[in-house]
Every structure is written in structure tokens, then in C-alpha cells.
């Protein structure tokens, strides 16, 4: 069994701050934990707009605090996000994430992130080489 607290993760290599300053991600479960997914507690900072395209990953996101919106660039549709809203990027949709207040999002990625991924200039996380033993 794995038990971890937010306090233990703060200030360690499991806490990743985006280069653009828009978010901080606390990564509770990573590929090395061999669960087949990664599991994060992310804060998206108030007033930010982030372009994201998870070309190599599927992501489900559950909002537990704050107000914001997600714009699906594929359809042009914008959806309000607040405590209790879930969205799943089941088709690798390119999107903008806008935070009106600080947004606290619980995120699950498949395949799991390895640890220190940050968005590149295309809003993409690279696909790290994965062997069967690591999944
Ligand atoms: C919701 C979202 O994709 N935010 C960006 C950070 C990401 N969730 C992560 O790496 O934890």
C-alpha cells in the first residue's frame, strides 16, 4: 500500500511548477509506482490561460475548488468548471484552461507521467519510453 500526504510532497521532486508560472502539480502517483496511471493534485493559478494538448496521454480531471473554464478548441465549445465538475480528454482534445480563481484539480493520466514533465511550446508532454515491466 502507498500512503502519501500533500505535506510530504511539498518541496520535493514530486512537486512540479510550470515554466510559464500558470500551475503547480503535486504528483502523488507516478510511473515508478507501477499503478498504470499517475495521480496529481494540481493548482491552476487565478487569472491564467493555458494552452494544452495531451497528444500522447489521456487525462481525467475533477475540480474540487475554484472557478474557471475549459475551451475545447476542436469544437469551439466552452464549459464552466467549478467544485464537482469532471472533464475527460478521451480524444486528446486541444484546449485552453482559464482559471478565474485558483482552481484545484485532481488529475489522472494514462499512460502515467514519469515525474518532471512540463508542457512544451505546443502544450504537449513528451511520451517517455515505457517498458512492460514499468507499467
Ligand atoms: C489540468 C491540467 O492538465 N493541468 C496542467 C498540469 C497537469 N494536470 C499535471 O501535470 O498535473
Amino acid at each position: 500500500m502507498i500512503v502519501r500526504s500533500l505535506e510530504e510532497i511539498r518541496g520535493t521532486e514530486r512537486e512540479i511548477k510550470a515554466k510559464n508560472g500558470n500551475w503547480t502539480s503535486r504528483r502523488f502517483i507516478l510511473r515508478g509506482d507501477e499503478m498504470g496511471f499517475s495521480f496529481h493534485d494540481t493548482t491552476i493559478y487565478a487569472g491564467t490561460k493555458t494552452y494544452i494538448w495531451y497528444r500522447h496521454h489521456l487525462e481525467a480531471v475533477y475540480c474540487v475548488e475554484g472557478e474557471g473554464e475549459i475551451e475545447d478548441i476542436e469544437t469551439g465549445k466552452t464549459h464552466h468548471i467549478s467544485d464537482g465538475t469532471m472533464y475527460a480528454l478521451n480524444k486528446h482534445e486541444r484546449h485552453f484552461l482559464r482559471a478565474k480563481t485558483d482552481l484545484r484539480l485532481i488529475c489522472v493520466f494514462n499512460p502515467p507521467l514519469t515525474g518532471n514533465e512540463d508542457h512544451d511550446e505546443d502544450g504537449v508532454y513528451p511520451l517517455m519510453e515505457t517498458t512492460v515491466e514499468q507499467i
Side-chain angles (χ1 to χ4, degrees):
M1 185 182 294
I2 300 168
V3 180
R4 292 186 178 121
S5 71
L6 192 53
E7 281 321 305
E8 273 169 47
I9 285 173
R10 278 189 213 283
T12 71
E13 69 284 354
R14 286 179 178 273
E15 183 175 63
I16 300 297
K17 294 172 198 287
K19 282 191 296 291
N20 62 14
N22 287 7
W23 51 263
T24 298
S25 175
R26 282 101 189 184
R27 297 177 169 167
F28 279 82
I29 300 283
L30 287 166
R31 188 175 77 182
D33 295 309
E34 302 183 333
M35 297 285 291
F37 58 86
S38 59
F39 181 89
H40 319 170
D41 179 343
T42 302
T43 299
I44 312 281
Y45 295 113
T48 61
K49 175 181 176 184
T50 307
Y51 170 71
I52 302 175
W53 181 29
Y54 292 127
R55 193 146 67 97
H56 308 295
H57 297 84
L58 299 170
E59 186 194 28
V61 176
Y62 185 61
C63 177
V64 295
E65 266 177 46
E67 298 274 336
E69 57 186 32
I70 180 168
E71 179 183 337
D72 181 340
I73 295 171
E74 315 295 339
T75 63
K77 259 186 127 176
T78 296
H79 307 269
H80 182 74
I81 300 170
S82 60
D83 179 11
T85 309
M86 189 280 310
Y87 65 84
L89 301 165
N90 58 328
K91 302 271 195 271
H92 305 275
E93 293 92 337
R94 292 173 302 135
H95 59 285
F96 286 110
L97 202 51
R98 292 191 195 85
K100 194 167 162 199
T101 65
D102 279 3
L103 264 181
R104 187 155 175 216
L105 305 176
I106 308 302
C107 316
V108 176
F109 281 81
N110 173 21
L113 300 198
T114 61
N116 55 7
E117 287 93 341
D118 191 359
H119 298 139
D120 68 13
E121 58 285 353
D122 296 320
V124 173
Y125 284 158
L127 182 63
M128 307 306 233
E129 285 298 314
T130 307
T131 65
V132 171
E133 301 85 71
Q134 288 168 319
I135 296 179

